[in-house]
Amino acid sequence: MGHCGGCFLQRSGHLFKDVGGCEHHPCSWRIALLSLSQRHHSRFCRTGPRWGRCRMSRAMQCQSCLPWGSWAQLARSLAGSRGTRRVSVCAAAVPGPAGRCFLRKILCKSSISLPRGCVRYQGGSQESSAQPGSSHHGQSQLRNVAFTGAIKKHQKSLSAWFSHQPNEERQFGPSFSLDAVHVDPVIRESSLEEILKPSPDLTIQNQLQQPLRKVISLHNLFDVDACGRQVKNVVLYGTVGTGKSTLIKKMVVDWCHGRLPRFELVIPFSCEDLSHSHAHVSLRRLVTKKYQHLRDVVPLLEASNLRVLFILNGLERLNLDFRLAGTELCCDPNEPVPPSAIVVNLLRKYLLPEASIIVTTRPSAVRRIPGKYVGRYAEICGFSDTNLQKLYFQMRLSQPGCSGEESQHRSSAEQENLVEMLSRNLERHNQITAACFLPSYCWLVCTTLHFLYFTRTVPPSQTLTGIYTSFLRLNFSGEVVDSTDPSHISMMKYVAKTVGKLAYEGVMSRKTCFSEEDLRQCFEVEMKTESELNLLEVFRSDAFRFFLSPCVQPGKEHTFVFTIPAMQEYLAALYVVLGEKKTLVQRVGKELSEVIGKVSEDVAVVVNIISKVLPLRFLPVLFNLLKIFPRYFSRVSGKDRDAIAHTMAQELFKEEDYYNDDVLDQINFSILGVEGPMRHPDEAPDDEVFELFPIFMGGILSRRNRAILEQLGCSIKNLAAFEIAKAMKKTVIRKGRRGLPPSELMDYLFFLHEFQNERFTAEAVRSLRAVNLSSVKMTPLKCSVLASVMSTTGHEVEELNLTSCNLDSSSLRTLFPVLLRCKALHLQLNSLGSDACKEIRDLLLHDKCVVSSLRLANNPVGEQGARYLAEALAKNRSLSQLSLLHTALGDPGAEAIAQRLPENRHLRELNLGYNSLTDAAALRVVEVAKGHETLDKVHLYFNDISEDGKRALDSLRMDRDGVRALVFLTAGTDVSDYWSYILSVVQRNLPFWDRQRVRQHLALLLQDLESSRSQTANPWRKAKFLRVESEVKKMLGKLQDGSL
C-alpha cells in the first residue's frame, strides 16, 4: 500500500484517510479525503459518531504517504462509487509547483472541487487564497445540517449569562444592562517590543496623556495587519481596572444580538476555571460540558468552514508551556489532554487552525505567549478621554431608575445637577480626572454618588465600607500576584502588606503625597529573596497604577497620590485591622514562636530519650520553660487587639477635627468639588483630614465585610473581631459619652452604622441621652443612618436637635420611629411646609409618642399646616410646649389653632410670635387660653397688634385670668419679666428674619418703653426702663451698621 511499513490506509466502503508524510518519505502535499456513502450512512448512525471519530482519529495518525499508483486507484474508486453524498478535501499547503500540479491531477481525475483554499499559517496571521464562495458554502452547510437552532440557543444562554449583573451592581444601585451604560474604552494597537521596553514612568496618567496613535476599535481587532495578513490570534492586555472583562462581556452580548457578524460562533472560556481543572479532557468535551447547546455543533468545528471565535479571559491565571517537551502537539479535538495543552495548541494553530482567538491578560503575563503565535497586540487604555468619562457618568446617573422608587414623584433636576457638577469638576482636571481614566473607578464614583444621594433606606448590606470592599472584590476576586510563584499570595493580601503600609504611614503623618523614596521604603526595604523581588515587579506592572497615580497639583508633579483619597484611608484601616502593623520585637517574637511551636514535639521526644540514658534531669525542665514561650507570646499578642481599639478611638475623637464637615460631606466634596473661587497658589493649603480612617476600621470588622475579605485572601478571625469589639467598649463608648459637636456626633453615628454590631451599637446609643445634630445637612442617607442606629434600642431620648438640617416630609417619614421616642424635638429652620405638618400630625397622634416640647420656628407652616397641627393638638396627650414662632400662620392659622385648642388638656406654653396676627386673632387666642386647664403662657410679640389691643392684653392678670400674654417688653408701668427672653429670641433669629421689619418692631418697642417710663415716678422702675432701652438701642445700632 505504501513505501513505509507504518503507513496506514483504512478502506471500508468509501472511507479513505491518509494524513501527513513520514520522516522518510515527505510528500509534496499532505491530503485527507473523506467520503461517506449513502450505503454506509445508516450503519454510521447506528454505531454512533463516536465510532466515526475513533476511526478517523486512527486514520489521522498516519505517518507516511501513498505512491502515485495508490492515488490513481483511489481516484478511480471515488469516481466510480455510487451514492456518495459528500466529499471533502482538506489541504495544508507545502510550497512547490510540483505539489500544486499533483493536487490538480488528483482533483481532475476524481472530479472533486476544492472547497477550502490552500492555507499557510505563520505567527497567528493567515495568508489565504480561499475561493470567494467558501464562506457561502459554510453557511449553506450550516443550514443543510440544521444546527442553526443550536447556535440560537447558545446565543440566548450566553446573553442571559453575560448580561447578568454582579451582586454589587444590584446592591448599590439600579441594575443597568450593558447596552444602557457601556462606553467603549480606548484600545491602542501595540507591539511586543513596546511591551518589553521598560517604561520610564509606571504611572497611568503619563502613559495615557501620550498621543494615542494606532487607536483601533473592538470590532476591528481581527482586521488584516500592516503586511496584509489576516489576524487570527489577538492579545488584549491592560492593567487592573481598565475594563478588560467588561469589554469582553460587551463583545459577547453584541455577538448574541447580531452586532458582531464577523463570527458565526463565539465560545468564551475563563482561564481561572481552566486553571482549577487538572483532569485530561478533550476540546469537544470541554466545550459541550460548559455549553450543552453546542453538542450538535462541536463535531462540525473541524469539518465545516465555520467562523468561530474562542475567548480566553484572564490568561494570567493559567500557566502555559509552549515548549514541545512541556506540551505535546495535539490536533484532534477528541483527544483528552490537560486544559492548558488545549489552550497552547489552539494558540499554536495546531488545533482548529482556522479558529480566531482573543486573549485578555495583565501586562506581566503577555510574554507567556511567544510572539510568533500572536497576530496583534492591543492595549486597553481605559477612559483616557475626558469626554468618555462624561458620557459614562451621563448615561449612568441619568438612567430612569437611578433615584430609586420615588423618582417618578420627583423632578430629574437633582440628577441633572449632579451630572453637571461632576462634569465641571472633571473639566478642572482635578485628581478625580486622573482616577477616572480607569473605568473601574468611574463605577466606584457612580456607586458612591448613588449611595450619598439616592439612598432612602439603608439595609445592613449598604455601607460605605461595603462599597469599597465590594469594589475590590470586583477587581481582585481570586487574583494572585503571580500564578507561577509557589506562594500564591493573593493580590489583596499583598496590597494590604505593602500599599497598606504606605497608606497608614501617610495617615499617621497627615500626608497624601508620596515621593519615590517613600515608595522605596515601603516596597523594597524588606525584600530579601528573589521571589519577593519578582512579586514586586509583577505588582508594579499590573496593579501599582490602580492604587497610585501622579499628583496633578502644581509643584508636585513627581509625587504620587492614591487614585481615590478615601482608598488611602481604607487600605490604612485594612493594614491595621489585619495586624500587619507590628514592631520589630513583635515580628521577631512571632517568627520565633512559630519555629519553637513547630519543633517542640520532636525536641520533646529527643529530650525524653536522652534524660533516660543520661542523668541530666535539668533538660526537661529547660524544655518545659522553652515551651512556655509560644503560650506567653500568644497572650502578649492579644494586646494587639487593645492597640487596634485604642487607635480607633484616638482617631475617631481627635479634637482638632471636631469642627470639620462630617465625613459624608467630605466624600461628596472630594467627588463633586467645592463650588466657589479657586484657591490662590500662594495660599497655604488646609491640613489633611483622615476622619474616614477609624470609620473604615469599624466597617472592616463587620461580619459581611470580613466574609468578602476572606474571599480576597485577607482573613480576620471571629475571635479577633470579638476581642477588638470588647476592647472598644472601654475606649470608644466611654469617649462617645462626652458632648460632641454636631458634625463629630454624625461621624460617630456613621461609625456605629458601619460597624454593624447591634449589641455594641445599642450600648453606645443608650449612653446618648441627647442628640444634637443642628446645622448638619441631613441628606436622606444621613436620616437613614440616624434611624438605623437609633433603632437598635428603644430608650427615650431626652432631646433631639435637628435645627437647620434641610429636613423635608420624606426625612420626617424616615425618622418617624426615632421622633416618637424624643421628649424635646427641635425642628426649627427646616423649610417644613404643610406636607411636613401632615407627618407631624401623624407623629403627635401616635399612641407611643412621648414628644413634650416641639419647636417649629422659622418654617413655612402656613394656614394648611396650622390646620394639621390643630388636629394633632386636639387629641395629643404628651405635648406641653409648642413653638410656632415665625411660621406664616396669619389670622386664619391662628383661628384654626384656637378652634381646636379647647380639646387639648396638656399644653402649657404656646408661641405664636412674629406671625402677622392682628388684634382680633390675638384676642381670640387669649380668650381660648383663659379657659384652658393647663395653658398659662402665650407668646404674641412681633405681631401687628395696635395700642388698643396692647391695652386689652395688658389687662390680663395671671392670678385672675390664669394666662400670661407676652406681647411687649413692658407690663403696664413696669418692665416685663420676660424682656430679656424676648430680646434673646430676636437676636437668635435675626439672621433668618426680615431685617427691615425687625427694625420697625424694635422701634415700636423702644417707643413703648419710653412711653411707659414717662408714666412712672418710681426711680427704680425708671432705671430698669433705661437699661432695657439701652439694650434695644444697641441692637438697633448694630442692625444699621450691619454688625449684627
Side-chain angles (χ1 to χ4, degrees), residues 94 112 158 178 218 479 497 696 765 800 802 822 858 885 922 929 963 1017 1024 1037:
V94 176
I112 299 175
L158 281 183
L178 284 173
L218 180 66
E479 293 274 2
K497 294 176 64 175
F696 276 143
V765 169
L800 176 59
L802 296 175
C822 297
N858 301 305
L885 175 69
V963 65
K1024 291 173 62 177

Side-chain angles (χ1 to χ4, degrees), residues 433-649:
T433 311
C436 290
F437 284 166
L438 295 175
S440 292
Y441 277 101
C442 292
W443 179 91
L444 179 61
V445 167
C446 285
T447 305
T448 305
L449 287 176
H450 185 275
F451 179 69
L452 293 176
Y453 281 88
F454 304 123
T455 301
R456 303 297 177 226
T457 58
V458 184
S461 60
Q462 285 198 7
T463 62
L464 185 66
T465 313
I467 289 178
Y468 276 77
T469 307
S470 299
F471 168 70
L472 293 174
R473 178 171 64 176
L474 283 173
N475 288 278
F476 296 102
S477 178
E479 293 274 2
V480 296
V481 181
D482 186 3
S483 61
T484 62
D485 188 81
S487 65
H488 285 88
I489 182 172
S490 72
M491 179 67 80
M492 272 312 303
K493 182 70 172 179
Y494 187 85
V495 168
K497 294 176 64 175
T498 55
V499 186
K501 179 182 178 183
L502 179 71
Y504 173 76
E505 292 180 355
V507 169
M508 290 296 101
S509 59
R510 298 227 162 191
K511 182 169 64 173
T512 58
C513 296
F514 305 92
S515 64
E516 286 284 356
E517 180 61 24
D518 295 329
L519 299 182
R520 193 186 67 81
Q521 290 291 330
C522 284
F523 288 99
E524 299 179 5
V525 168
E526 298 182 2
M527 296 295 168
K528 301 175 183 178
T529 64
E530 182 72 17
S531 176
E532 291 175 338
L533 290 175
N534 291 336
L535 289 177
L536 176 60
E537 181 182 358
V538 172
F539 171 76
R540 290 183 69 95
S541 172
D542 294 345
F544 174 83
R545 62 195 77 177
F546 182 84
F547 295 101
L548 292 160
S549 61
C551 184
V552 299
Q553 296 180 15
K556 297 183 179 180
E557 291 81 3
H558 301 290
T559 60
F560 299 89
V561 296
F562 279 84
T563 310
I564 290 287
M567 185 61 72
Q568 177 180 354
E569 299 178 75
Y570 181 92
L571 293 178
L574 184 62
Y575 175 76
V576 174
V577 173
L578 286 176
E580 297 294 338
K581 185 178 78 69
K582 296 183 176 68
T583 62
L584 179 62
V585 175
Q586 289 174 324
R587 288 196 298 269
V588 173
K590 181 181 180 180
E591 294 176 0
L592 185 60
S593 175
E594 291 176 352
V595 171
I596 293 176
K598 290 178 181 178
V599 303
S600 59
E601 296 181 0
D602 297 334
V603 175
V605 174
V606 175
V607 169
N608 287 332
I609 295 174
I610 295 177
S611 63
K612 291 179 180 178
V613 177
L614 301 175
L616 300 176
R617 301 298 181 185
F618 64 91
L619 286 179
V621 177
L622 290 178
F623 183 70
N624 288 331
L625 291 176
L626 191 62
K627 288 195 296 183
I628 293 176
F629 181 79
R631 302 173 190 170
Y632 174 76
F633 180 78
S634 64
R635 294 179 181 178
V636 173
S637 63
K639 298 295 183 181
D640 292 345
R641 319 289 195 250
D642 295 335
I644 293 174
H646 177 74
T647 301
M648 200 179 305

Side-chain angles (χ1 to χ4, degrees), residues 233 267 269 271 274-275 277-289 298 301 310-312 315 318-322 326-353 355-357 359 369:
N233 290 352
I267 304 177
F269 282 111
C271 292
L274 296 178
S275 67
S277 176
H278 303 290
H280 288 212
V281 64
S282 66
L283 175 61
R284 179 174 180 175
R285 175 59 181 158
L286 188 66
V287 174
T288 55
K289 183 179 180 181
V298 172
L301 286 180
F310 285 94
I311 297 177
L312 304 174
L315 187 73
L318 191 63
N319 293 330
L320 302 180
D321 189 354
F322 280 82
T327 304
E328 63 180 3
L329 297 175
C330 174
C331 62
D332 185 3
N334 303 304
E335 181 180 351
V337 293
S340 60
I342 294 177
V343 174
V344 169
N345 281 288
L346 282 173
L347 292 169
R348 284 172 173 167
K349 291 304 170 191
Y350 202 75
L351 182 62
L352 300 185
S356 299
I357 301 174
V359 176
I369 305 177

Side-chain angles (χ1 to χ4, degrees), residues 848-884:
K848 294 183 180 180
C849 177
V850 299
V851 178
S852 60
S853 176
L854 176 60
R855 299 182 182 275
L856 290 171
N858 301 305
N859 285 296
V861 173
E863 179 184 352
Q864 183 58 45
R867 296 186 185 279
Y868 288 132
L869 295 177
E871 183 181 348
L873 282 175
K875 299 180 181 180
N876 177 267
R877 297 181 180 181
S878 63
L879 195 63
S880 60
Q881 294 179 337
L882 175 62
S883 175
L884 296 175

